[in-house]
Amino acid sequence: MNSIPVITLDGPGGVGKGTLGRLLARDLGWHLLDSGAIYRALALAAQRAALPADNAVALSELARTLPLSFRGGADETHVLLAGDLVDAEIRSSEISALTSQIAAIPAVRAALLQRQRDFRQAPGLVADGRDMGTVVFPDAPLKVFLTARTEERGKRRLNQLMEQGISASLATVVAEIAERDARDQQRSVAPLRPASDARLLDTSEQSVSDTYRVLQSWVQSAFQEN
């Protein structure tokens, strides 16, 4: 499987990983892994089953048997849980917070590791997440770690919520983002951090098209060299 190329896009929420990943997968004709959607779907399933966020045994068993599937392609991928379309539900603030708590459980991460690696199929994979380059695909030829200022990420998240008809204040959204960042960075297993050989890209002041041009140049360079 190591002969199948992977590009990893890691970083906290609101830096543009999802958008850039979809664009890149579409243009390359590769598969796309939105690892966050897997953890979010697990959080939703746990909520539906009324499982406490600290029940590691039950949550890891749920992770192993999670009735999760994806529909569509790189341009637009939909998430289904037990056959139900859950795109909107898994993006709620409540599920985001629960996802961060559940993702810190080592047994849960172990249960989902192979499931994520199974997305590595020819001709290649673009993997978007928080530990794609450090844990899931450490041999990826190109690893990118995206960042952006917390307030800028808060504005982007607030716009998404408003588009969904959800009201919130910028201060509340920024506080939630900072809280999740702290949990993700401080967890004992697979903390949020760049791989030692990752390229860093700050998207705070750049448009999607500007950021994507930089990313495309890195892809071209990485695969010419390899």
Side-chain angles (χ1 to χ4, degrees):
M1 294 294 288
N2 289 351
S3 63
I4 298 173
V6 178
I7 297 169
T8 62
L9 303 177
D10 286 315
V15 294
K17 301 190 305 290
T19 299
L20 293 168
R22 285 190 295 273
L23 289 171
L24 197 55
R26 181 199 66 190
D27 291 349
L28 292 172
W30 289 10
H31 299 282
L32 175 67
L33 166 59
D34 176 356
S35 66
I38 297 176
Y39 281 95
R40 286 174 176 272
L42 175 60
L44 179 60
Q47 184 189 65
R48 289 179 172 181
L51 289 179
D54 60 353
N55 190 333
V57 174
L59 288 169
S60 59
E61 179 58 30
L62 180 61
R64 282 190 287 271
T65 60
L66 190 65
L68 175 69
S69 60
F70 295 92
R71 186 176 68 199
D75 283 333
E76 187 176 25
T77 302
H78 300 289
V79 183
L80 292 90
L81 183 61
D84 296 333
L85 189 66
V86 294
D87 292 349
E89 285 183 88
I90 64 173
R91 301 296 172 183
S92 71
S93 296
E94 184 179 3
I95 292 300
S96 293
L98 182 58
T99 298
S100 187
Q101 295 175 54
I102 289 175
I105 299 173
V108 167
R109 302 197 74 86
L112 292 178
L113 181 59
Q114 190 57 49
R115 191 163 196 163
Q116 294 172 85
R117 287 178 172 166
D118 288 342
F119 278 80
R120 189 174 196 169
Q121 298 177 20
L125 175 68
V126 177
D128 148 17
R130 282 171 165 74
D131 65 343
M132 296 297 98
T134 53
V135 175
V136 184
F137 302 107
D139 64 331
L142 176 61
K143 303 170 187 174
V144 178
F145 191 89
L146 297 144
T147 62
R149 293 191 304 273
T150 304
E151 186 171 351
E152 178 60 32
R153 291 160 52 208
K155 291 177 181 177
R156 295 171 185 174
R157 176 60 178 158
L158 184 60
N159 287 336
Q160 290 175 341
L161 292 173
M162 292 174 65
E163 289 172 0
Q164 297 169 16
I166 301 171
S167 62
S169 71
L170 179 59
T172 299
V173 173
V174 168
E176 289 174 351
I177 287 174
E179 183 179 354
R180 180 166 189 189
D181 286 352
R183 279 198 301 266
D184 290 350
Q185 291 164 358
Q186 295 167 13
R187 65 189 178 211
S188 60
V189 176
L192 174 63
R193 60 177 175 80
S196 60
D197 54 347
R199 292 180 178 243
L200 305 183
L201 181 55
D202 189 330
T203 68
S204 299
E205 303 293 342
Q206 297 192 71
S207 66
V208 172
S209 58
D210 288 341
T211 305
Y212 189 52
R213 278 194 290 271
V214 173
L215 186 57
Q216 284 179 306
S217 71
W218 289 354
V219 171
Q220 184 176 22
S221 175
F223 291 96
Q224 282 179 344
E225 293 169 1
N226 288 277

